[in-house]
Amino acid sequence: MAMRTMFSDHSTTPPVVLVVEDQPLLRLVAVDMIEEAGFTALEAADAMSALNMLRMRQDIAFVFSDVDMPGAMNGIDLIRYIRALNSSIKIIVTSGTFHADKLGLPSEGIFLPKPYLLDDVSAALQRFTH
């Protein structure tokens, strides 16, 4: 809950987080948690949709992505591509089947195992904002 007040100043807009999750219910839960933490959330159902969103929006500060996704690009491929395009975007990766040591995350990337809680999501976002 501390994050909600962190961006309450009208001159400061909350950072934008792009949530990339192919399962609609899990995407909705992640969006709700991110918004509860005081951030603005955008949604993408797969890596290609996420890349399109990143091309259209210059204000995305974070990508919160699942590893397992349909299509030619999974979450790890997506974050590597994002990191090559824009090293300032903060990366949070989540998975219920993979472990952090097997993923090869970027050095500043954060891994959250599923199932995650609001406190986990808030703590990961706070780590980047402090």
Side-chain angles (χ1 to χ4, degrees), residues 61-105:
F62 298 86
V63 171
F64 183 96
S65 180
D66 187 24
V67 172
D68 286 324
M69 285 188 286
M73 187 179 284
N74 67 23
I76 297 302
D77 296 334
L78 172 65
I79 64 165
R80 287 183 183 140
Y81 190 83
I82 291 168
R83 183 58 73 219
L85 288 177
N86 185 342
S87 62
S88 68
I89 294 177
K90 310 299 189 250
I91 304 291
I92 301 171
V93 176
T94 184
S95 177
T97 55
F98 293 94
H99 297 282
D101 58 343
K102 305 282 190 223
L103 295 176
L105 288 176

Side-chain angles (χ1 to χ4, degrees), residues 9-113:
D9 178 9
H10 294 293
S11 65
T12 305
T13 58
V16 177
V17 181
L18 175 58
V19 176
V20 188
E21 170 64 64
D22 62 307
Q23 295 182 34
L25 184 57
L26 293 178
R27 188 169 60 246
L28 177 64
V29 168
V31 165
D32 285 348
M33 287 181 179
I34 287 165
E35 289 175 346
E36 181 69 24
F39 292 76
T40 299
L42 303 174
E43 301 178 43
D46 57 38
M48 296 314 292
S49 298
L51 291 175
N52 288 335
M53 185 80 66
L54 286 160
R55 287 185 193 103
M56 294 185 326
R57 303 272 309 240
Q58 301 302 309
D59 60 342
I60 297 171
F62 298 86
V63 171
F64 183 96
S65 180
D66 187 24
V67 172
D68 286 324
M69 285 188 286
M73 187 179 284
N74 67 23
I76 297 302
D77 296 334
L78 172 65
I79 64 165
R80 287 183 183 140
Y81 190 83
I82 291 168
R83 183 58 73 219
L85 288 177
N86 185 342
S87 62
S88 68
I89 294 177
K90 310 299 189 250
I91 304 291
I92 301 171
V93 176
T94 184
S95 177
T97 55
F98 293 94
H99 297 282
D101 58 343
K102 305 282 190 223
L103 295 176
L105 288 176
S107 59
E108 296 91 30
I110 294 175
F111 176 77
L112 286 180

Side-chain angles (χ1 to χ4, degrees), residues 33 64 92 110 112-113 115-125:
M33 287 181 179
F64 183 96
I92 301 171
I110 294 175
L112 286 180
Y116 44 79
L117 303 172
L118 174 59
D119 289 345
D120 302 326
V121 174
S122 293
L125 292 166

